[in-house]
Amino acid sequence: MAAESDGAARSAETDKLWNETGVDPVELHLGKDSGFTLRAYRMSDTLPTAKRDEEPEDGVSEDKASKDEVAEEAPEDEDAPLAEDEDADEPDEADFADDEPEEEVDALDAEPEEVPVFLTRKGKLLLFREPEALVAYVKENDDHDLAVIEEYAELQERVAVADIACEEDDTYELDLVVANLRGGHDTWEPELLIKAAEVGRDLGYALKNDSIVGALAPGSPLDDLDETFRVVVDGGLRGKLARRRLRKNDAQQAAIAWRGVIAKLNDHVEWR
């Protein structure tokens, strides 16, 4: 288990480091294990997001070109039943691959927005059970997604083990989410569940996982639940009405949905 972090123990020098680099240490509790990573928020137009996808896209293009050439040379194979079955098995993947370039063009045309950047590498979130391991990795490596921020070189020089002290807002107890939801409406902890949705969205975006993003996207049942929790926390008359609205949500269905999100996050974690 990772060592317990205590925001009150942070020194002025530690606060200065994180404020000046615009990065924060994050502690994630997942099931029986927990660990530390780093997160920053940057404007999307300052990040070379397309760079990581260049090689896979080229590979896909070359592969598709080769298949097209084969199809032209042997058109009679198109009528083979086996080929039709294979095509029928993967329509969604083919559509997704074809749509990727269009989505990137749309992203370039869209207004810049603030987006999360984590210590991720090759589609995996790097989680370190001990602060010492996290600091050693940061100082010795820049082959990961967080290295694209301008302040990374400065962070490598300055960060120390004592600086891996997470504030309460950056500590996420995802291991408690499902049990809390299953406990029923009277036991739900809005702050716990709001924070879970926050980090879930961030990680879904950073890991480019459409399933996680979709589960927490605007209009989804989990997002509607999150919005209701936020109204409850705001209090007042609207908060009282929101508490009544919460009782209309199926606790077991909410727990099942969150269990799926957390399972997908676990699948994308690389423990160190």
Side-chain angles (χ1 to χ4, degrees), residues 2 4 11 13 16 23 27 52-53 74 76 111 118 124 136 142 145 149 164 173 177 183-184 190 198 216 245 250 264:
E4 289 293 327
S11 67
E13 284 300 311
K16 184 178 179 181
V23 180
E27 184 173 5
R52 284 173 285 168
D53 297 328
E76 64 275 11
E111 287 294 322
F118 281 85
K124 293 286 187 178
D142 57 12
D145 298 332
I149 66 172
I164 310 303
E173 297 176 304
V177 169
E198 172 191 303
L216 295 165
R245 194 168 74 194
D250 188 314
K264 290 181 178 67

Side-chain angles (χ1 to χ4, degrees), residues 244-265:
R244 294 179 185 175
R245 194 168 74 194
L246 280 178
R247 294 186 174 278
K248 296 180 181 180
N249 288 272
D250 188 314
Q252 291 303 314
Q253 287 300 318
I256 291 171
W258 256 114
R259 185 176 63 186
V261 170
I262 293 170
K264 290 181 178 67
L265 288 174

